[in-house]
């Protein structure tokens, strides 16, 4: 049955009839703009506006046919025999079957059903209706142009600007960031400088969400991955403090001065434990200290970075700990080396198991690949390097950059992508799946040197901190965050190929050294002394000046004149 509504209304109920006429426009009021009112407003970028694209209607109905449902049962036995046939009597069923088979209607029914069944069988053999045509078809590789745009900039709210030295993302959703502020230049800290560090809401760059007040400016700051309300910070004077954001701005507990580091705490790492309260810190004083935030009076364990066992301690700059490898951790040193350490070693001499000599300067970044844990990334001097645990030399390296590298980190969603930051204020995004010699994208974040770069857990955003006190969040394009077609397999093969090549080169170099050692005279040979040594030195001088001489002896005469003056 069709339902129809008729709306009726008398003309007099519509109100007074409007009469419109054409006339020139007139100015009713003119309000001049007031530039001072701009201070009351802040530009909102980006703007999110919800718009309903469906037109609104006064009434809408859909008439559907109603079906009356009823439950019915049927007695079904072998063959679906009618009621007048006893299925338990064999002779009775045989007689009924022969009777039906002799019926002409039965023959026509079987023939018609046979034709339709044959058609269905042939169709099923030709086309598999259950086949998933695109089940094994991988996603196509993204051909979008890689890009990154700045979302928000968070600036130090203090009048005296300090360097933003470290940034840590809120676990899981990453809707907050914790930023440490300090002045790293030696003895350049003003007396009236604020010690506060801040927690920022990603959506609100105007004012910090919460303040952290340490006993000394924070150099490093990290969220607890098990409890996002807990943070631990390493201070410039060597102390280690931890906060519970539910208990205010001041630290819940701080380590004792005589039991702490003697230099700035440059890095911290939470340790996998049942309580989730254990961590360890590293400093340029060469100490690695283990802490339990439930008892901060003294460290639970300590280690000195003395790789040569001769008392020459190496300062630590960065630390990496992987929760799936509870006994292993790595430390980057000021001498450019990476130390593989064993947490369960009983003797101090066994705590450092391997040394990877990698950079000309301090190691500024150290992180394992989240997909291939046996490979790790380091950054120092002017390049970044990818290593394998069982090889003492890098298997892949970036080219030397014109500016010094300050930090690096892997993408958490793509195994072949990593990010590096430099002193010139730029961020390089490397995608080794497509290009190894040059970065895929270079972003100029600012003019101030970048101190730290960290990627969000979902890989969509990266945060950078700079020396001018600014923290910038960059949003990456989909091609840089979405896993590409067979990316894991391709990059794994690439790492294995480079590792095999490096092992072959090491074996070849070892063989050459052995051959050279066999050709050299034995250690018992008589070394040249006296007149023979003077003759050798004179011969070396003559050979040297013969290479740089311009034919008139000018270079040699100038060198001899300088020697006489000295």
């Amino acid at each position: 049955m069709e339902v129809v509504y008729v709306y009726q209304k008398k003309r007099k109920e519509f109100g007074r009839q409007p009469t419109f006429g054409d006339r020139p426009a007139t100015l009713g009021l003119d309000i001049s703009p007031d530039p001072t009112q701009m201070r009351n407003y802040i530009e909102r970028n980006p703007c999110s506006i919800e718009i309903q694209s469906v037109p609104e209607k006064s009434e809408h109905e859909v008439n559907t046919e109603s079906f009356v449902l009823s439950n019915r049962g049927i007695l079904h036995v072998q063959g679906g025999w009618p009621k007048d046939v006893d299925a338990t009597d064999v002779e009775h069923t045989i007689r009924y079957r022969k009777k039906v088979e002799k019926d002409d209607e039965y023959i026509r029914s079987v023939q018609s059903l046979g034709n339709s069944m044959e058609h269905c069988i042939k169709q099923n053999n030709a086309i598999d209706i259950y086949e998933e045509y695109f089940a094994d078809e991988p996603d196509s590789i993204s051909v979008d142009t890689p890009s990154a745009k700045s979302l928000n900039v968070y600036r130090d709210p203090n009048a005296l600007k300090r360097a933003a030295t470290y940034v840590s993302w809120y676990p899981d959703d990453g809707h907050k960031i914790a930023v440490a502020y300090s002045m790293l230049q030696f003895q350049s800290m003003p007396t009236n400088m604020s010690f506060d560090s801040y927690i920022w809401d990603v959506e609100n760059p105007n004012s910090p969400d919460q303040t952290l007040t340490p006993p000394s400016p924070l150099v490093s700051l990290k969220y607890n991955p098990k409890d996002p309300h807990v943070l631990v910070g390493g201070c410039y004077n060597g102390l280690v403090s931890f906060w519970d954001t539910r208990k205010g701005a001041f630290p819940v507990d701080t380590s004792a001065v005589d039991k702490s580091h003697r230099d700035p705490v440059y890095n911290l790492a939470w340790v996998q434990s049942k309580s989730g309260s254990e961590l360890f810190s590293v400093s340029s004083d060469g100490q690695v200290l283990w802490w339990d935030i439930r008892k901060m009076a003294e460290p639970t364990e300590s280690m000195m970075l003395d790789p040569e066992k001769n008392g020459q301690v190496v300062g630590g700059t960065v630390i990496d700990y992987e929760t799936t490898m509870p006994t292993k951790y790595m430390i980057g040193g000021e001498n450019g080396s990476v130390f593989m350490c064993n947490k369960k070693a009983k003797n101090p001499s066994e705590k450092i198991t391997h040394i990877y000599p990698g950079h000309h300067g301090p190691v500024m970044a150290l992180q394992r690949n989240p997909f291939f844990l046996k490979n790790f990334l380091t950054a120092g001097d002017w390049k970044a390097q990818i290593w394998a645990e069982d090889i003492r030399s890098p298997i892949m390296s970036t080219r030397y950059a014109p500016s010094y590298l300050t930090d690096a980190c892997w993408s958490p969603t793509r195994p072949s992508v990593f990010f590096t930051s430099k002193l010139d204020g730029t961020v390089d995004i490397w995608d080794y799946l497509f290009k190894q010699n040059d970065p895929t994208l270079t972003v100029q974040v600012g003019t101030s040197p970048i101190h730290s770069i960290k990627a969000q857990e979902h890989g969509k955003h990266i945060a950078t901190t700079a020396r001018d006190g600014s923290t910038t969040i960059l949003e990456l394009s989909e091609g840089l965050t979405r896993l590409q077609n067979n990316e894991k397999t391709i990059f794994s093969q690439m790492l294995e190929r480079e590792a095999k090549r490096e092992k072959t080169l090491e074996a070849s170099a070892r063989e050459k050294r052995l051959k050279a050692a066999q050709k050299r005279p034995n250690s018992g040979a008589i070394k040249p002394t006296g007149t023979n040594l003077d003759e050798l030195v004179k011969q070396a001088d003559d050979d040297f000046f013969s290479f740089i001489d311009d034919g008139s002896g000018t270079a040699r005469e100038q060198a001899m004149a300088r020697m006489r003056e000295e």
Side-chain angles (χ1 to χ4, degrees):
M1 181 181 67
E2 184 179 1
V3 180
V4 179
Y5 287 96
V6 178
Y7 296 91
Q8 295 179 351
K9 196 171 187 181
K10 295 182 179 180
R11 174 63 188 83
K12 64 180 181 180
E13 296 178 0
F14 289 163
R16 184 179 178 181
Q17 181 179 2
T19 56
F20 300 100
D22 294 335
R23 66 173 183 175
T26 58
L27 178 63
L29 182 63
D30 185 11
I31 301 176
S32 302
D34 186 2
T36 60
Q37 295 294 330
M38 294 182 62
R39 293 195 295 267
N40 299 330
Y41 300 92
I42 297 175
E43 182 182 357
R44 185 179 176 187
N45 186 17
C47 296
S48 300
I49 301 175
E50 297 180 358
I51 298 175
Q52 178 69 321
S53 61
V54 179
E56 297 182 0
K57 297 181 179 180
S58 61
E59 186 174 353
H60 179 70
E61 69 277 345
V62 177
N63 296 328
T64 59
E65 297 183 6
S66 300
F67 292 92
V68 180
L69 303 179
S70 62
N71 296 326
R72 296 181 179 179
I74 183 172
L75 177 63
H76 180 79
V77 292
Q78 180 183 3
W81 305 102
K83 293 182 179 180
D84 57 346
V85 177
D86 185 5
T88 59
D89 189 351
V90 179
E91 293 182 359
H92 200 180
T93 56
I94 292 174
R95 285 198 302 268
Y96 179 77
R97 187 181 296 112
K98 288 181 179 180
K99 177 184 176 180
V100 172
E101 290 176 355
K102 292 179 181 179
D103 192 357
D104 295 338
E105 186 66 26
Y106 172 77
I107 297 174
R108 286 194 296 269
S109 299
V110 171
Q111 288 178 350
S112 62
L113 291 175
N115 294 332
S116 61
M117 180 60 68
E118 183 181 3
H119 172 72
C120 293
I121 293 174
K122 290 181 178 180
Q123 188 181 48
N124 188 52
N125 292 335
I127 301 174
D128 185 4
I129 62 174
Y130 299 105
E131 181 181 358
E132 297 182 7
Y133 292 97
F134 305 102
D136 299 329
E137 190 72 19
D139 296 337
S140 59
I141 297 179
S142 176
V143 295
D144 297 339
T145 303
S147 62
K149 63 179 181 180
S150 175
L151 284 185
N152 283 323
V153 179
Y154 313 84
R155 303 190 183 278
D156 186 3
N158 293 280
L160 182 61
K161 302 301 180 185
R162 305 159 296 166
T165 56
Y166 206 91
V167 61
S168 178
W169 284 93
Y170 189 88
D172 298 330
D173 57 356
H175 69 282
K176 293 182 180 180
I177 53 173
V179 183
Y181 296 88
S182 180
M183 193 78 72
L184 296 181
Q185 285 76 15
F186 182 65
Q187 291 185 347
S188 62
M189 191 179 301
T191 55
N192 58 344
M193 189 187 79
S194 173
F195 289 177
D196 293 343
S197 292
Y198 303 101
I199 298 175
W200 297 85
D201 192 319
V202 172
E203 300 295 335
N204 181 20
N206 302 317
S207 60
D209 185 68
Q210 195 166 355
T211 302
L212 305 177
T213 305
S216 177
L218 290 180
V219 179
S220 54
L221 183 64
K222 276 194 177 181
Y223 272 105
N224 188 335
K226 285 191 173 182
D227 187 358
H229 297 288
V230 177
L231 298 94
V232 63
C235 301
Y236 185 81
N237 62 356
L239 300 180
V240 177
S241 302
F242 86 93
W243 285 262
D244 191 330
T245 56
R246 297 164 293 188
K247 297 182 180 180
F250 293 95
V252 178
D253 200 359
T254 303
S255 61
V257 176
D258 57 336
K259 301 293 184 180
S260 303
H261 295 280
R262 296 184 293 273
D263 280 354
V265 183
Y266 284 104
N267 214 311
L268 303 154
W270 290 94
V271 179
Q272 177 70 16
S273 61
K274 294 181 180 179
S275 62
S277 60
E278 298 179 13
L279 61 112
F280 53 111
S281 59
V282 65
S283 171
S284 54
D285 62 355
Q287 293 187 92
V288 180
L289 302 179
W290 280 259
W291 304 92
D292 192 328
I293 60 176
R294 297 172 296 183
K295 184 182 177 182
M296 295 289 291
E298 60 180 359
T300 57
E301 193 177 346
S302 63
M303 184 189 76
M304 298 297 294
L305 285 177
D306 185 9
E308 302 297 334
K309 311 297 185 297
N310 56 1
Q312 296 182 359
V313 179
V314 177
T317 56
V318 65
I319 196 167
D320 178 78
Y321 178 81
E322 174 57 40
T323 55
T324 58
M325 299 179 178
T327 61
K328 288 183 179 180
Y329 64 95
M330 294 186 296
I331 297 175
E334 288 184 330
N335 62 347
S337 300
V338 176
F339 307 103
M340 179 72 71
C341 304
N342 184 8
K343 188 175 181 293
K344 298 297 183 181
K346 298 181 180 179
N347 300 327
S349 59
E350 299 176 355
K351 289 186 176 181
I352 300 178
T353 58
H354 304 296
I355 301 176
Y356 304 87
H359 295 279
H360 305 300
V363 179
M364 306 302 294
L366 174 62
Q367 185 186 6
R368 288 184 183 271
N369 189 300
F371 295 86
F372 308 104
L373 298 178
K374 290 186 177 181
N375 299 97
F376 57 93
L377 171 71
T378 63
D381 52 69
W382 299 270
K383 65 178 178 179
Q385 297 175 336
I386 300 176
W387 304 71
E389 275 191 1
D390 53 347
I391 302 176
R392 298 297 173 265
S393 56
I395 59 175
M396 285 188 283
S397 301
T398 64
R399 61 178 177 83
Y400 280 91
S403 186
Y404 204 88
L405 268 63
T406 57
D407 200 2
C409 66
W410 288 102
S411 169
T413 56
R414 290 194 54 192
S416 64
V417 174
F418 62 92
F419 315 100
T420 59
S421 59
K422 303 197 292 292
L423 277 179
D424 58 1
T426 61
V427 171
D428 288 337
I429 302 175
W430 299 80
D431 190 349
Y432 264 32
L433 191 65
F434 296 100
K435 191 188 301 185
Q436 292 85 34
N437 297 325
D438 299 304
T440 304
L441 179 65
T442 298
V443 182
Q444 184 71 44
V445 179
T447 58
S448 182
I450 296 176
H451 278 282
S452 174
I453 181 171
K454 294 292 180 288
Q456 188 192 23
E457 186 176 350
H458 302 293
K460 186 67 176 178
H461 302 96
I462 56 176
T464 63
T465 60
R467 187 175 296 175
D468 60 359
S470 64
T471 303
T472 306
I473 293 183
L474 301 175
E475 183 180 9
L476 305 177
S477 61
E478 184 181 1
L480 294 173
T481 57
R482 185 166 58 92
L483 194 65
Q484 303 297 314
N485 177 19
N486 295 329
E487 181 175 356
K488 288 184 180 180
T489 304
I490 295 173
F491 192 60
S492 174
Q493 294 173 354
M494 185 185 300
L495 294 174
E496 292 177 1
R497 182 185 70 242
E498 295 299 325
K500 290 180 180 178
R501 184 179 66 85
E502 198 63 33
K503 287 180 180 179
T504 303
L505 292 176
E506 283 189 358
S508 177
R510 190 183 307 112
E511 184 178 354
K512 290 181 179 179
R513 288 195 299 268
L514 291 175
K515 290 182 178 179
Q518 293 175 357
K519 292 181 179 180
R520 287 198 303 265
N522 54 28
S523 57
I526 300 175
K527 297 182 179 180
T529 56
T531 306
N532 294 333
L533 181 60
D534 294 339
E535 292 178 356
L536 291 175
V537 172
K538 185 177 181 301
Q539 182 63 33
D541 289 341
D542 294 339
D543 293 341
F544 171 73
F545 285 113
S546 64
F547 282 109
I548 63 173
D549 202 346
D550 57 358
S552 59
T554 305
R556 183 183 182 93
E557 292 174 359
Q558 291 177 355
M560 296 300 293
R562 285 196 299 269
M563 292 175 62
R564 285 195 295 270
E565 292 176 0
E566 293 176 356

